[in-house]
Amino acid sequence: MKRSEKYLKYGVKLEDRYLIYEEKNRRVAVPYAHIAFLSVSKNYLVIQTNSMEKVVIKLDTEDTANELFEDILVFIERLYIILIERLYIR
């Protein structure tokens, strides 16, 4: 099982440009470019955007929270690499 598939049971889906989080009656899409703050505390992951929106995701273990944290950082890094490449190619 890929790590991104493991997050589906927590309502988290990692896309190329944004993260989708679903819980109960709420669905949130957070573009990676809008993430201003990302934090892990025990088994909680906190995402805060430039507009001060805040998403708190509860995971089953601290290891899973740390893995999701690292995977989100990779997606953010990929997005900025693509943007920089597009700027210099033109």
Side-chain angles (χ1 to χ4, degrees), residues 5-63:
E5 292 173 1
K6 178 167 68 170
Y7 306 136
L8 292 175
K9 72 178 182 180
Y10 305 106
V12 177
K13 185 174 182 185
L14 301 175
E15 297 287 341
D16 288 336
R17 294 174 297 172
Y18 51 87
L19 171 146
I20 297 173
Y21 178 58
E22 295 183 53
E23 65 172 350
K24 298 179 186 171
N25 299 329
R26 180 179 174 205
R27 178 189 258 179
V28 180
V30 181
Y32 298 123
H34 292 199
I35 295 175
F37 178 81
L38 186 63
S39 172
V40 175
S41 179
K42 297 185 181 180
N43 61 324
Y44 289 91
L45 181 79
V46 178
I47 302 169
Q48 194 164 335
T49 67
N50 296 336
S51 62
M52 302 308 285
E53 294 289 330
K54 187 175 184 180
V55 177
V56 179
I57 302 170
K58 183 179 180 185
L59 300 130
D60 61 350
T61 67
E62 194 170 340
D63 289 338

